[in-house]
Amino acid sequence: MRKRLFLGLGVLAIAAVATLTLFRRGSAQQTTAGKPVVAAVDPASLKGPRQPIFFRHDIHVGRNQMQCQYCHYTVGVSNEPGIPSMQTCMGCHFLYVTGSTPQNKAEIAKLNVAWQSKTPVQWVRVHTLARHVHFPHSLHIKALGPQACATCHGNVARMAQVFKVNNVNNMGFCINCHIERKVSRDCSQCHF
Amino acid sequence: MAAAVSVSGVLGSFDHVDGAADAIRDLKSSGFKDLTVYTASANHEIEAAIGDPVSAVRLFTLVGGLTGVAAGFGMTIWMSRDWPLITGAKSVAAIPAYVVFGFELMVLVGSLCTAVGIVILSMRKSLKGRAYSPRFSDDRIGIFVPCSADQAAAVELVLTQHGSVEVTRDT
Amino acid sequence: MAGQTEGAGVDRRQFLKVLGTAGAGAAVLGGCSTEQVQKLVPYMVQSEDQVPGIPTWYASTCAECSSGCGVYVKTREGRPIKLEGNPDHPVNAGTLCSRGQAGLQGLYNPDRLTGPMAKNAAGTWDAIKWDDAIARFAAKVAAAQGEFAVINGYGPSTFSSLLTAWTSAVGGFITNYQTFSREPERLANQKTWGRTDLPLYDFAAAKHIVSFGADYLETWGSPVEQQRGFAASHGFHDGTMARAVFVGPRMSLTAANSDEWVSVPAGTEALVALAMAQVIASSKGNSAAASLADYAPDKVASQTGLSAQKITALAQAFAAASPSLAVAGGVGAQHRGAIELCEAVNLLNDVAGNIGQTVKFGAALAESEGYGSVEALFGRMGKGEFQVVLVHDSNPLYTLPRGGNFGASFAKVPFKVSTAAILDETAAACDLILPSLHGYERWDDLMPRAGVRGLMQPVVEPVRNGMHIGDVVLKASKTIGGAAAAFNAPTFEAYLKGEWQKTLGANGFDDSWRETLGKGGVFAPSAPVETPKATGAAVSYTKPAFDGMGDYILMPYPSMQYHDGRGANKPWLLENPDPITKITWQSWVEMHPDTAAKIDVREGEIVELSSPHGKLRAQVYIYPGVRPDTLAMPLGLGHTEYGRYAKGRGVTPLALLGGGDGNGFLPYLSTKVSVALTGDYHKVARVDGMPRQLGRGIIQTMPLAYAAKGMTPEESYKAAGRNFAEENPELEQKALEGWRERQIEQTQVGDYEPTDMPQWGMAVDLSRCTGCSACVTACYAENNIPTVGEEQVFRRREMSWMRIERYWEGGTDGEQIQARFSPVMCQHCGAAPCEPVCPVYASYHTPDGLNGQVYNRCVGTRYCSNNCPFKVRYFNWLKFTDVAWPEPLNLQLNPEVVTRVRGVMEKCTFCIQRIRGAQHTAILENRSVRAGEIVTACAQACPSGAIKFGNVKDPADEVVKWKGDRRGYTMLEATNVRPSVTYLAKVLHVEPADFHGAEER
Amino acid sequence: MAVIAHDPSMPTQTHAEVTRDVVRTITEKPERGYYILAGSMAFLTLVLFGTLGALLKYGLGLAGYSPPIMWSVYITTFVFWIGIGHAGTLISAILYLFRSRWRTAVYRSTEAMTVFAVMTAALFPIIHIGRQWLFYWLIPYPNQRFLWPNFKSPLMWDVFAISTYLTVSSTFLVIGLVPDIAAVRDHVSGWKKKVYGALSLGWTGADSQWRHYSRAYLYLAALATPLVLSVHSVVSWDFAMSIIPGWHGTIFAPYFVAGAIYSGIGMVLTLIIPLRKVLRIEHMITDYHFDNLAKLTLLTGSILFYSYSMEYFISWYSGSPFEQMTFWRRAFGPNWWAGWSMIICNAFVSQLLWFKKIRTSIPALFVISIFINIGMWFERWVIIAMSLTNDYVPYAWGQINPTWADWCILAGSFGWFGLWFTLFYKNFPIVAIQEIKEMIPMSRRKSHAGAH
């Protein structure tokens, strides 16, 4: 088992480095294209739960144009969206990206510390679905396309700190969509 | 009660029902329309003397009842079709079962409207400030005749000659 | 909503949290709590074979008994959550028994030791470090100077041979011992054929099966494999089916599934076998006839209590059907004459010409030195010949009879080491405990027979801080040095691979290894069948003797659930009722009604049994299926240690037995006991309300002749002259015209618009079902069903969505008693009575024909259950979720199924999570669900293959064929609820003339 | 007086005496016994809510449910109280329409009993469900889930029937009370005057009020009459709509209604026999009234007798083995004693009332009324719980064995009911003053002036 894990580590690491270099180029162009560099903010002043590391979706998704699936890698294939492993973060932040502003530097430093000390970062959950509901992410991505995340999670590309846009436990929220799109409203589709 | 009098008039109280009834007739014939007759219990003789038309409260009952039936069937049928779910191979909106709701809501709304009816109708005529005596809820019949001071004497006369045991003037 | 936050102790989403910690290792997992903080803990490193939300399957091997069935372990986020049979495995071919499936509750057992422990001077336990533990062990072994004994309960495997070799290297003495290891058969085979190995019995090929005490559907031999064979031959197929006869003093599950139970006094089975052999031999002019002359039917009739004609008839039927099969042995026939019995049966098979046909030598079944060796070993311990003893995967102080005072001899050993993962009786008597790893946490293999080598691989981070004894001895070898130094493999994994390299070949080993892992081992085609020549040794019979002066023969028999007692710590097995008595969570004494009447006891009264070797007190269960001169008791309970579930629960008949007579096997059936009333009472936690059908046709049967003619049960009953109550008289027929059309009409709204919606249905073949209850455990495992405990079962509050109903037929006024078994789960009625009565639509009909139950909408009026004619709805009376899964048992919970909170109704869903799962996958792969793609947990587990699930609308689906079977009927047609479950009537070997359907109709 | 003496329905006192006697029951200071009674009732009420708390905390498992008996003591007691609640409206509404004069003296007490009985019964559907805190899901209120209740479920019919009945019967009670409260108001002083004054809603007995009042009362009676019959029919359909042998009976609606009235009058007797002594109003509620109540009991009791025999006959005649088994076990099964106590207490005991001697002997009536209460509780217990012990699949048959939680709730329900009633009869006119007066002809000056 262990061996296979490290094998996996290797594979992912290479993949990460590769994509990383691409992104570097991409984002560089964008910045030169006059895209505003996202300024430092105080997370306390923002909506949403404060995370152990001030991970900025607005930078990753907004400025760097990263795909949600890059980190939430199982959202298209599984019920669970998947939380990126520390390694995925380190893939980019290991050597190359160390942050532009002092604030970002500080936060990325936290990440390195966590990685060195082998203690996974305990992200605070923003969206918690009630236990008695089954929400197959993959089906919704397939039906609505990879950009559909925003439908429920809001436009995280504009969020320095992610907060709850919709109450995903409000059944009406689900049902409205199902009615509009003429999708089955059969109880046993989600409740079992 | 005399303290809080605002409507001027004469109050007579009777021991005898026929006397009271006669008095009412006389007063009405002599032009005193707006009488107030106090009795401890509903009394046909008095009602006859007053001769008011049948109460309109039945309209409340009727309307309420009809509304209830409509609401009963409407609600159940609409709600069942709003999110159609089959149970036990029965039709989504099963009318026979919904008769129960039609009936129950008819009774419910109907009787509530009736109760409201009493209040509304009785409140149409304000009894504020008309003289009253506790004995009317016991064993006496009271007749209050609103009138100006100059008419009072005439009224008192009518009342006493029909055997009013006690006549008070509030002017 | 308060409702939803309840039962938080077993949050389905717990997995998301646990998931991360897998990377951080066992320690974290060990302390994994159920706090409600909503934290998302990512992996440090994502393992490439784990996708959150998608199960990963690993092939492994079941180590619950020595049959060595192959299993697939279903894991989610690194947690095993379900065991299913490995379809490629020759032993179980994809199925698995209750005990095997309950292995998970051994893995996650809350009483597993958290690390090595050493007993201190005060006699209490100190937790110690592994290095320290191994050091102590090594030191002691080295100091023992060869005065070192090992008892190894693990089956033939790379590990066992390592341990053997290692033991002899350190000059020690090892015995490989497993309970119920069929010694009498080996000894008999030695006499009959001069070879001690056991043949493979081919039940599938046999047309006529006679068992002399061997409970081949329960614990004897390789039950799953035999049950598969039995179902294949004895299940009704193309107009025919095999006939099965059981000869013995008690009607076991095997007997109940046989067509005939021949009740003979314990110890006289051999006579029947010999008489049958005599009849056949003389009819065939076989030379053996002469030597058997003394055993002619008329000579043995009186002793067996059978008429000569009866025996002759048995013999002729046996001879007529070829190939036939006779088997003997097992605890149920292990009296002092057991060897002779097995010889007699060998002879019977020989004269009937079954050798090589159904009795197949050459498979070299798992060898075990058996009771003789362990008896001898303990004798030597008693003489103080050993300084150190190591007990692995065995619990002799519990499984050996108390009369043999093995405990005393064991105590004579100065330093005793156990590898028990749970503190059992033996471990408690030891000085050092090196808790081993569970089969799904370690590298290992198991060889049930020649050519079949099942592999095991760690599929989960160790739940507790254990270490496989293989690694322990390798580590110890370094310190011990000497000959042991040769064992220099760094880890047992390395050693194992080394050994396998010899079979798989060195070049390209890594690939072949990975491939083998994926397959679950190597399964060579079955070994060439050998047909040994009988030595012709004369067969004799001496009436077996019994200890004690009591009036009743005590018949201990192995429980299906607990086996030799190893199952007693698993709630699933404790709550899964005994197939025959339907008693849960307890042990009992089976007593014939006449006996009960004679000594005036009622069910549940506690009697005291005393034998020369001991006493015990147990509750009485009155059972017409046991001879009046016999009292039967299940083995497996009555532990004094072994964790919270087992400790102090019930009693074990071993307390009444003496250690054998040194002739190589333990005569379980060799004690007479006397019964004394105590006046005490203990309610019997039975789950069967009324064990008679009262003519309600719950389980319908038909004679073979009629079934072969293709009659329906109804026609069959009429033909047999039963006044078959008309289910739908004309008047009703009228009312039912166009019923289906109307139903479809009504479903033309909303979701119910007619579409290609599938229609899920199930069919159960009662001629295959043996009542083994494997499906019940599968259902518990798949659907997060809580176990409620004995006190709640007293009130019949058990939650088993699927139950095996057991009804008695006959048994009154001297009539032969028979049993009927039928799995009953939610029937998913078309016109379900439970649906319209629910005020909140918690119970409703899904467009694909399921009877949906929305737990989170349920307010708990329980009207649905009242109105259910099958009573298959179960209510959460208390917070069962809090008590059923103490840490870390909750890690087994299936994340696809919500745990139901207190106050809601639940029931069988036809494994809707599997249905939806398959549909979702199909959508993602742009296809429609394939026929037979969806298999419910019960259907998957059933060793008899008696359950078929599928889409009734899809002609390609197997279930359509099953439902089309002429034997098909639905329960309680009179209620016109239109169930989706079709039962195929059980077929009986009876003459239509005396067709016994009275109690069904 | 002499003229009317031999019309026993005629009150024997004058208007003034009526007012005096009734008002006295309220104004005079209660003796110690009253406080003990009220206290013990309050205690039982605490027991009720204490047990309910335990059920909420640990779950229904505390009660003696053992599947397949999913409904047991609680539903039994629910139906019992609903039944009790039927006498009141029957007497006040139906007999009002029939102009039967004897009702006047007793209808106030029975109506109060009705309202409190229904209030008690209404607790049980909530107590008995698995997730009590979600009972409001049975109410069709607009919610974000877009979900509505299932109106095909008899339990929903129940919700509507019971709530309607509670509302209507309380309206009826209150409307009847208003003039009497006014009378009380005029005979008390101090803060009490204020309170009763507020409660009397400014009633003065003016013609403009009587006019609508007496009319409305008539219509209310007209509406309430079918309601009485409907409510217990609906309750009976909770069972009749099922497929359980022993529940699935077509005669259930009339059978249950008769039983309800029977049990209701039983409770009325149990209550007013001691009550009229305590309040010293024997001269208002006389043997004559009891005689009439007894006759009503006899009538309904005989209907029950018929229904019982019909149930057994039909179960035999149906030829359905399920039905037959159920009824065989009712009489000779493990709970035969319950089955027989139902038949004896209801069918047989009521037949004693053929004799006028018994009808007019207060002690005898009291004893009989107790029998009726017990018998009717057992009737529901037998029909509901015992039918469930053995239905279709023998393997699933079970046994009933209630626990402390069952008995505490049962006892508590009597406390809850009793507390309300005790408080009521001491603070409100327990005899309808104005209706009695309506029956007493007022003195006339022509003919015999000053007769009194």
Side-chain angles (χ1 to χ4, degrees), chain C residues 162-517:
Chain C
L162 163 70
L163 191 60
T164 315
W166 180 83
T167 313
S168 45
V170 298
F173 172 89
I174 185 169
T175 175
N176 294 302
Y177 167 66
Q178 284 140 17
T179 37
F180 317 147
S181 47
R182 306 168 66 181
E183 303 87 343
E185 293 163 71
R186 299 175 187 283
L187 297 163
N189 292 357
Q190 178 61 40
K191 288 189 176 175
T192 321
W193 291 293
R195 56 192 295 173
T196 60
D197 65 335
L198 294 170
L200 201 61
Y201 295 115
D202 190 343
F203 286 80
K207 294 200 176 64
H208 189 114
I209 305 161
V210 181
S211 169
F212 296 86
D215 52 340
Y216 52 84
L217 292 180
E218 288 145 278
T219 54
W220 178 82
S222 176
V224 173
E225 189 173 15
Q226 288 152 358
Q227 188 178 339
R228 278 175 46 233
F230 180 76
S233 60
H234 188 266
F236 178 78
H237 51 89
D238 6 294
T240 167
M241 64 188 267
R243 175 187 279 272
V245 177
F246 187 91
V247 183
R250 170 181 180 264
M251 186 168 89
S252 62
L253 182 68
T254 310
N257 279 285
S258 305
D259 300 287
E260 189 176 3
W261 166 45
V262 180
S263 158
V264 299
T268 64
E269 304 92 342
L271 287 173
V272 183
L274 289 169
M276 286 171 69
Q278 193 270 349
V279 174
I280 297 168
S282 45
S283 68
K284 284 190 178 172
N286 182 312
S287 59
S291 61
L292 289 169
D294 308 354
Y295 301 107
D298 49 351
K299 298 210 176 61
V300 303
S302 58
Q303 281 166 279
T304 56
L306 304 173
S307 71
Q309 298 84 328
K310 176 73 189 164
I311 299 175
T312 321
L314 284 173
Q316 282 155 349
F318 187 73
S322 175
S324 55
L325 171 62
V327 290
V331 175
Q334 210 144 310
H335 42 65
R336 291 200 165 87
I339 299 178
E340 287 158 326
L341 168 60
C342 297
E343 282 181 73
V345 171
N346 289 344
L347 182 61
L348 180 57
N349 276 323
D350 197 18
V351 295
N354 297 331
I355 313 303
Q357 298 289 322
T358 54
V359 182
K360 297 178 174 170
F361 278 94
L365 252 59
E367 291 283 348
S368 150
E369 285 143 62
Y371 181 74
S373 63
V374 78
E375 196 181 16
L377 180 67
F378 272 88
R380 292 175 60 193
M381 288 185 194
K383 298 204 202 69
E385 292 182 22
F386 294 111
Q387 295 305 313
V388 181
V389 61
L390 169 68
V391 184
H392 173 60
D393 198 12
S394 174
N395 184 8
L397 293 199
Y398 171 79
T399 56
L400 297 179
R402 306 293 175 266
N405 46 35
F406 296 89
S409 335
F410 193 68
K412 290 242 173 54
V413 182
F415 191 73
K416 306 173 279 302
V417 186
S418 163
T419 66
I422 293 169
L423 188 79
D424 59 26
E425 287 79 355
T426 314
C430 288
D431 307 289
L432 178 66
I433 304 181
L434 310 167
S436 184
L437 289 176
H438 191 276
Y440 303 115
E441 296 170 331
R442 66 171 190 248
W443 287 102
D444 210 338
D445 60 5
L446 193 57
M447 290 171 249
R449 76 170 75 129
V452 179
R453 266 183 104 180
L455 255 178
M456 301 182 201
Q457 55 177 323
V459 299
V460 56
E461 291 284 340
V463 177
R464 292 284 187 249
N465 178 16
M467 187 187 291
H468 183 27
I469 181 70
D471 287 301
V472 173
V473 294
L474 289 172
K475 286 194 169 59
S477 305
K478 296 186 182 62
T479 26
I480 297 169
F487 299 90
N488 53 5
T491 63
F492 179 69
E493 177 188 358
Y495 179 85
L496 186 75
K497 281 191 178 159
E499 291 302 304
W500 275 77
Q501 207 152 8
K502 293 172 187 160
T503 20
L504 297 179
N507 50 348
F509 173 69
D510 286 350
D511 304 342
S512 53
W513 173 251
R514 198 167 294 110
E515 185 192 342
T516 318
L517 268 179

